[in-house]
Amino acid sequence: MMRYIKLVNFEINRFSKIYLSLLLITLVSQFAGVIIVTKSLLKDARDIMKEERLSEAAYITNYGSLDFNHIANTLLFVGPIALSAVALIFYIFLIWYRDWFGKNTFIYRLLMLPTSRLSIYLSKATAIFLMVLGLIAFQIIILPMQNALFNSNVPQALLSEMSISTITIVNPILSLIIPSTFTQFLISYGIGLMIMSILFTAIMFERSFRIKGIIMGLLYCGIAAVLFLAPVLMEIGNFYFYPTELFGLMLAIGIILTGLSVWLGAWLLKNRVTV
């Protein structure tokens, strides 16, 4: 267990500089977005009121009040979230291929450690999942500060205050990364874990069989996608499921695919990937 924890810590430390950069970019860009966009919104509102000789009440009647959703839909706010998501998706591949193609082919030393290769597999998956949770936690921490900053800079007469829960529900990107219920959290991040395990297995196919492995990995990803979406595809074909039945089927298939992918990926790493 201690070796597994050390491996997780090792993997996180290897990505720490890039990870901290992502956190810093998110912090600076989103707070800058709050300030810049708020000033732009207020300037536009004052210009319209001046040109059309509107009172604040009349402006709200004609154009609506200002709320945080105006900020949450801007590139400065959602851009860092998208960048972090792309970086972590890319790292799913980098966390393996860096060991093979980096200096001194570190994978040879890693695979010869006196520990189970399953621990190596799980440590890499755990490191990525913890980094995802860390980014989400960071967003949850700074979001109330950003909302408070917006509310303090907008005149009360033009402001429509939004609670944090409302912001996360209304904005499609925030609602995806910050689910409103624990069940939605398990579903969203359970699907994320399933996709990561499938990609890990595809990488193991490629590392085990090289050119043939690329085809095998792509086929595995395709078959897994079809199996997971099979209940939805059946509904499109007029085969009706009750919502609870559809959820139960997709949950069962997701758990099976995740377990199968972890087992198969670990088996390939142990028996087919050689040093």
Side-chain angles (χ1 to χ4, degrees), residues 59-74:
Y59 174 85
I60 291 176
T61 301
N62 293 341
Y63 296 97
S65 56
L66 304 181
D67 57 51
F68 192 82
N69 203 39
H70 289 86
I71 306 294
N73 287 323
T74 62

Side-chain angles (χ1 to χ4, degrees), residues 3 14 29 33 38 41 58 89 101 112-114 119 149 156-157 165 202 208 216-217 221 227 252 269:
R3 287 174 179 171
R14 295 175 81 190
S29 179
T38 300
L41 289 171
I89 292 171
F101 300 115
M112 294 182 71
L113 288 174
S119 296
L149 178 62
Q156 196 66 35
S165 60
S208 299
M216 295 169 70
C221 290
L227 287 175
L269 182 62

